[in-house]
Amino acid sequence: MKKILALMIAGVLFVTSSVCVFAQEGTTETITEDEELVGSASKDAEAIKKEVEALKEKIEEQNKQMEEQTKKIEALINQVQASIKSNSTPAQTTQGSSAGRTPTNSGTSDVRTQSLIRNNAVSYGSNVVAQGGHVEINGGKSNVTFLVGVPDNATMNSAASLATNLGGSLINCITVSSQVAFRNAKVNFYITGVNIGDNIAVYQVQNGQWVQLQTAEIRKDHVVVNMSNTGTIAFMRVPVLASATH
């Protein structure tokens, strides 16, 4: 009887030991799998963190570039404004005044700052007229630029008188030249202070007389003019019922 009890106890202990070993192995495998999942998630988080940091650096670099471009634009605007101010003091001569110019004689005198010359522009008072190229020649697009210059003082006075007779005011008067021959040209002039709805008349000296030119378009700071030849032209702000010819 004692032998039988001993065998039964030994069998129970053997089964219990086997179950414990199996449970321990299963637990070990589960822990190992969890550790792998945690490790994988940690690696993914680290990769995302690196991507975010790289993106932040890229955005900061772009912001720096934008700031540099903004500073350059502001510097250019200040330079042009300074040029306008330096050329806005009327110069008194025996033939009258010509704001923004300093004629030395009755002939053509083109005394401008380097900034105005470099930008192919002419100032008169607080106004600037410039020509930026891309003139349409004989109905086709081109890279042609019409050069602008300063007329003599007598021509300026004549243009101012014409504007007064028309009940308006002189915006600017310039000379226009071209190295390219043409039958007709559509010229876009940049003119500060012009707004949509303004009635801008453009006159040209032809055979000693002021003749009105056709304006193709008037928009903010731009007047587009149809021309058949170069020469002296004047831009005037006039009433709607201003005379078309003179």
Side-chain angles (χ1 to χ4, degrees):
M1 185 67 180
K2 292 181 180 180
K3 290 183 179 180
I4 293 171
L5 289 174
L7 289 172
M8 290 177 65
I9 293 170
V12 172
L13 291 175
F14 175 77
V15 172
T16 303
S17 299
S18 299
V19 171
C20 291
V21 170
F22 178 77
Q24 288 177 353
E25 290 178 352
T27 303
T28 303
E29 290 178 357
T30 302
I31 293 172
T32 303
E33 290 177 356
D34 290 343
E35 289 177 348
E36 289 179 353
L37 289 173
V38 172
S40 177
S42 178
K43 290 179 181 179
D44 290 343
E46 188 68 23
I48 293 172
K49 183 178 179 181
K50 289 181 179 180
E51 290 179 0
V52 171
E53 290 177 352
L55 183 60
K56 286 182 178 179
E57 291 177 358
K58 187 175 181 180
I59 293 173
E60 290 177 357
E61 182 64 24
Q62 290 177 346
N63 289 337
K64 288 180 181 179
Q65 292 178 357
M66 290 180 64
E67 289 177 0
E68 291 176 358
Q69 290 295 330
T70 301
K71 289 179 181 179
K72 289 180 180 179
I73 293 172
E74 290 176 350
L76 180 59
I77 293 173
N78 292 335
Q79 184 181 11
V80 173
Q81 290 177 342
S83 297
I84 294 173
K85 290 180 181 179
S86 65
N87 284 270
S88 63
T89 304
Q92 300 295 328
T93 67
T94 56
Q95 295 180 337
S97 64
S98 178
R101 288 129 186 196
T102 53
T104 57
N105 52 54
S106 59
T108 301
S109 179
D110 193 347
V111 181
R112 291 175 288 171
T113 65
Q114 288 299 315
S115 176
L116 289 170
I117 294 174
R118 184 169 55 252
N119 289 283
N120 193 35
V122 171
S123 69
Y124 177 75
S126 59
N127 172 265
V128 173
V129 172
Q131 210 293 301
H134 302 289
V135 176
E136 291 187 20
I137 301 294
N138 301 328
K141 295 182 179 180
S142 76
N143 291 324
V144 174
T145 299
F146 279 8
L147 300 179
V148 300
V150 179
D152 58 69
N153 212 37
T155 302
M156 289 296 304
N157 289 337
S158 176
S161 296
L162 174 60
T164 300
N165 292 336
L166 294 174
S169 59
L170 179 64
I171 297 175
N172 211 324
C173 184
I174 62 174
T175 62
V176 179
S177 61
S178 172
Q179 296 180 342
V180 177
F182 61 91
R183 295 186 304 277
N184 54 74
K186 190 175 182 180
V187 191
N188 183 1
F189 291 98
Y190 170 80
I191 306 177
T192 59
V194 172
N195 294 297
I196 297 175
D198 287 352
N199 192 45
I200 308 298
V202 183
Y203 283 81
Q204 183 180 41
V205 176
Q206 298 180 6
N207 299 320
Q209 299 292 323
W210 288 104
V211 178
Q212 187 172 5
L213 300 180
Q214 181 185 18
T215 55
E217 183 181 2
I218 298 174
R219 64 179 190 272
K220 175 67 175 175
D221 293 330
H222 290 271
V223 175
V224 182
V225 184
N226 290 325
M227 303 176 62
S228 58
N229 54 14
T230 56
T232 301
I233 62 175
F235 301 90
M236 306 172 189
R237 185 174 278 106
V238 296
V240 176
L241 299 178
S243 174
T245 58
H246 179 73

